[in-house]
Amino acid sequence: QLELNLEDDRRNKTNNNIVAIKEIYNIINKEYIKSEIDIMRKLTHPNIVKLYDYVWKPTKIYLIMQVYS
């Protein structure tokens, strides 16, 4: 599991890599979002951005993802 402070500079404390954090709000169908997150976490492919982890808050979901430049 990643050690990350969402208020920080978006650096993964485990290996000091920069991560992308996507915020999702206005969640209508929680079961659908949960299903999509589960699928994204299982995907491993060089052309697909990796989803490392997520943080589920009452009004938002934060997706912690790999950064490509």
Side-chain angles (χ1 to χ4, degrees):
Q1 183 164 355
L2 297 176
E3 181 183 331
L4 187 72
N5 178 355
L6 295 175
E7 310 305 323
D8 202 355
D9 64 348
R10 298 173 191 231
R11 284 192 184 273
N12 174 349
K13 303 301 182 198
T14 306
N15 59 19
N16 207 32
N17 287 342
I18 296 176
V19 295
I21 300 177
K22 175 152 179 100
E23 295 180 25
I24 302 174
Y25 23 115
N26 296 334
I27 303 159
I28 295 170
N29 188 338
K30 291 181 182 180
E31 291 302 315
Y32 175 76
I33 296 292
K34 177 70 173 137
S35 172
E36 290 293 313
I37 288 172
D38 289 341
I39 292 168
M40 289 175 64
R41 290 188 80 181
K42 294 175 186 174
L43 290 175
T44 304
H45 189 277
N47 296 332
I48 298 175
V49 174
K50 179 75 177 155
L51 175 65
Y52 293 126
D53 206 353
Y54 66 95
V55 177
W56 198 294
K57 300 284 185 175
T59 59
K60 292 182 188 177
I61 302 171
Y62 296 94
L63 301 179
I64 301 155
M65 307 174 83
Q66 179 180 25
V67 173
Y68 273 113
S69 54

